[in-house]
Amino acid sequence: MSVRKVLVLNGPNLNLLGTRQPEIYGYETLDDIHQAVRHKAEQKGWTLRFFQSNSEGELIDAIQAARLDGTDAIIINPAAYSHTSVAILDALNAYEGKVIEVHLSNIHKRETFRHHSYVSLRADGVIAGLGSRGYLLALDGLGHVDVSKQKT
Ligand code: CA2
């Protein structure tokens, strides 16, 4: 199945990108990333929804909506909820499409509490440490991941 409808989800504080801590997260704003991802999706002929929320519940609502509206894949940077949210993991486990987890920074090179991600227990692929390029690589990766071969 070729991926056509993609949801890109961004968790808490990612709306602050480009304003603080550029040494960790880079100088691009979330809107810059949105434009780049939208451009690449258009090149592929895919439809894209790009959403950020600081609320765990809104992120879960978006994942639940994706279950029902024919979204083929979710690219998610859960931000700090990666390390805390069983609720987001549960929502993703109820979603049947492909899931790629993206982190701008290399979470494994940072504080110990960032090394574990609940979302990684569900993700078909994980990209970390490549900055905003990670979102574009995730889009490219969706063309290649065969989830059916990965499920155990
Ligand atoms: O590296 C990533 O993409 C993270 O998901 C970013 C999260 C962090 O909690 C994760 O451990 C790794 C933090 C996003 C907050 O972004 C900010 C950007 C600018 C200024 C302040 C926060």
Side-chain angles (χ1 to χ4, degrees), residues 6 13-14 19 42 45 70 74 94 99 101 119 124 132 140 147 152:
V6 179
N13 297 308
L14 286 166
T19 64
E42 281 171 2
I74 296 175
V99 176
E101 178 181 359
V119 169
D124 300 297
S132 61
D140 280 338
V147 177
T152 51

Side-chain angles (χ1 to χ4, degrees), residues 13-14 16-17 20-21 25 77 79-80 83 103-105 114:
N13 297 308
L14 286 166
L16 299 177
L17 279 179
R20 293 184 53 210
Q21 297 184 276
Y25 299 119
N77 183 345
H83 320 302
H103 295 283
L104 296 158
S105 63
R114 297 188 201 273

Side-chain angles (χ1 to χ4, degrees), residues 10-20 28-31 50-55 79 104 135:
N10 295 282
N13 297 308
L14 286 166
N15 54 310
L16 299 177
L17 279 179
T19 64
R20 293 184 53 210
E28 282 179 286
T29 65
L30 194 62
D31 196 48
F50 196 96
F51 179 67
Q52 187 274 333
S53 178
N54 294 324
S55 153
L104 296 158
Y135 289 83

Side-chain angles (χ1 to χ4, degrees), residues 5-9 49-51 62-63 66 71 73-76:
K5 188 170 179 179
V6 179
L7 171 65
V8 181
L9 279 181
R49 178 163 183 248
F50 196 96
F51 179 67
I63 294 165
T71 296
I74 296 175
I75 295 170
I76 182 168

